[in-house]
Amino acid sequence: MSKAGQNTQEQASGLVLVDKDQGMTSHDVVGRIRRLAGTRKVGHAGTLDPMATGVLVVGVNKATRLLTYIVGHDKTYTATIRLGQNTVTDDAEGEIISERIAAAVSDEDIEREVALLSGDIQQIPSSVSAIKVDGKRSYARVRAGEQVELKARPVTISRFEIHEVRRENGGKILDVDVTVSCSSGTYIRALARDLGEALNVGGHLTALRRTEVGPYKIELTRTLEQLAQEFEILPIEKAAAALFPNRTVSVDEAVELSFGRTIPASHLSMDIAEGQTVAAFAPNGVLVALLEDKGDKARTALVFTAK
């Protein structure tokens, strides 16, 4: 992480790895980073609900062009699921709409249903989500009193680990602490809802913290308060190097790429998956472009150096 002074921040391009506070929207965070970075060109890679805390990846200046690639990466969360209550939003921010005593649910019951919610599954997103239905956000339709039924979509839950089961309110309510690693587009609120329904007691999310987004982990983040004291940015070269396979190109190749021209395909000299995006760096370490192979040629998906 590099530290940007007030006189250089406007030109800096890179990622700001924020540990989002509870109660803030992702849009709020972007607004704060715009003021701290001294630029309007700021965006984020994947919304965190106001209730949630943890890793929010924010791009500044040229690094906003990397955000599309970051959004699709797997994510990891720690969460607490409350069994015995349903809420309108599937989390603690919504009003309780039903209660069922969960005392008869055993730890083995929970483990069985967690296993069934792991791997490749079909998940119906929470109706109070940002998914658009006929051009209007689903949550806006719900708040307007409409009944919204979203379609199931495939997601992958690569890790769904139970850490602790706590019996509250005389055992009527169960709080389950878990870690979830999942594909992009997974709703942890929906996992809580579905676990509760599978156990016939209802469930919702009471706590959520995102600890990883792709290669970016919670240990690298800073709170907005810390960033206000000392603004730190992950330079665009280091950000791209962590996201993609790295290829060092020659000076002549860097010039060709800066004009959007092709060079020999990356797979001819690198062990990469077909169609994998590669970050191309000049011999001096400057990020030149993102490349994608087509046949025996590598074409530019994005160019970062000036022509």
Side-chain angles (χ1 to χ4, degrees):
M1 301 284 280
S2 66
K3 298 172 183 177
Q6 291 294 331
N7 60 339
T8 61
Q9 286 173 204
E10 190 170 354
Q11 284 71 43
S13 290
L15 300 180
V16 183
L17 305 178
V18 181
D19 183 352
K20 188 185 85 66
D21 291 333
Q22 191 171 29
M24 296 191 74
T25 67
S26 300
H27 182 72
D28 292 337
V29 174
V30 167
R32 289 285 296 276
I33 297 300
R34 280 176 176 153
R35 292 193 289 274
L36 291 172
T39 178
R40 294 290 301 170
K41 198 168 184 181
V42 176
H44 67 76
T47 300
L48 264 181
D49 290 336
M51 186 191 86
T53 65
V55 182
L56 184 68
V57 180
V58 179
V60 176
N61 291 322
K62 288 182 180 180
T64 55
R65 304 172 77 192
L66 295 176
L67 297 179
T68 299
Y69 295 89
I70 298 170
V71 168
H73 272 268
D74 289 357
K75 300 169 179 66
T76 297
Y77 301 85
T78 57
T80 299
I81 297 170
R82 175 158 291 180
L83 299 174
Q85 296 174 337
N86 285 102
T87 71
V88 68
T89 56
D90 300 325
D91 64 18
E93 294 198 317
E95 65 177 295
I96 296 171
I97 54 176
S98 71
E99 295 188 72
R100 286 170 273 179
I101 295 174
V105 175
S106 67
D107 290 6
E108 291 74 19
D109 292 333
I110 299 170
E111 290 169 2
R112 181 189 67 248
E113 297 304 333
V114 161
L116 292 173
L117 286 169
S118 301
D120 296 328
I121 64 171
Q122 292 286 325
Q123 184 185 72
I124 299 175
S126 173
S127 59
V128 185
S129 66
I131 295 172
K132 286 188 175 181
V133 179
D134 296 330
K136 189 176 180 180
R137 301 289 184 187
S138 178
Y139 65 76
R141 291 185 177 277
V142 171
R143 288 170 183 167
E146 296 182 38
Q147 286 288 112
V148 177
E149 292 185 11
L150 299 175
K151 294 180 179 179
R153 54 179 62 185
V155 299
T156 300
I157 311 299
S158 54
R159 179 186 179 193
F160 196 168
E161 181 180 350
I162 301 168
H163 298 296
E164 185 180 2
V165 178
R166 299 187 305 280
R167 296 179 181 272
E168 309 289 346
N169 194 20
K172 294 179 180 179
I173 290 172
L174 276 62
D175 283 344
V176 185
D177 295 333
V178 300
T179 293
V180 178
S181 295
C182 55
S183 60
S184 178
T186 302
Y187 284 83
I188 310 302
R189 283 181 290 158
L191 272 184
R193 175 203 67 204
D194 292 346
L195 178 61
E197 290 311 306
L199 293 164
N200 296 311
V201 295
H204 70 280
L205 204 62
T206 61
L208 183 65
R209 181 164 177 78
R210 190 155 68 191
T211 58
E212 296 180 18
V213 176
Y216 309 119
K217 303 182 186 302
I218 193 70
E219 293 80 11
L220 295 174
T221 62
R222 299 290 183 271
T223 64
L224 287 174
E225 184 177 350
Q226 290 171 325
L227 289 166
Q229 295 296 318
E230 189 170 58
F231 189 79
E232 297 186 10
I233 191 167
L234 184 67
I236 192 169
E237 282 76 16
K238 288 187 176 181
L243 277 173
F244 309 102
N246 298 178
R247 176 180 176 180
T248 300
V249 298
S250 68
V251 172
D252 288 343
E253 287 174 327
V255 171
E256 292 298 291
L257 293 174
S258 72
F259 283 93
R261 297 172 185 148
T262 62
I263 62 173
S266 300
H267 74 261
L268 298 176
S269 58
M270 298 174 65
D271 183 16
I272 59 171
E274 185 177 351
Q276 192 165 3
T277 303
V278 171
F281 297 88
N284 63 358
V286 171
L287 178 63
V288 179
L290 299 185
L291 307 179
E292 293 175 356
D293 286 352
K294 189 169 184 180
D296 62 352
K297 298 293 184 182
R299 302 178 182 274
T300 54
L302 285 176
V303 177
F304 290 93
T305 55
K307 295 179 181 178

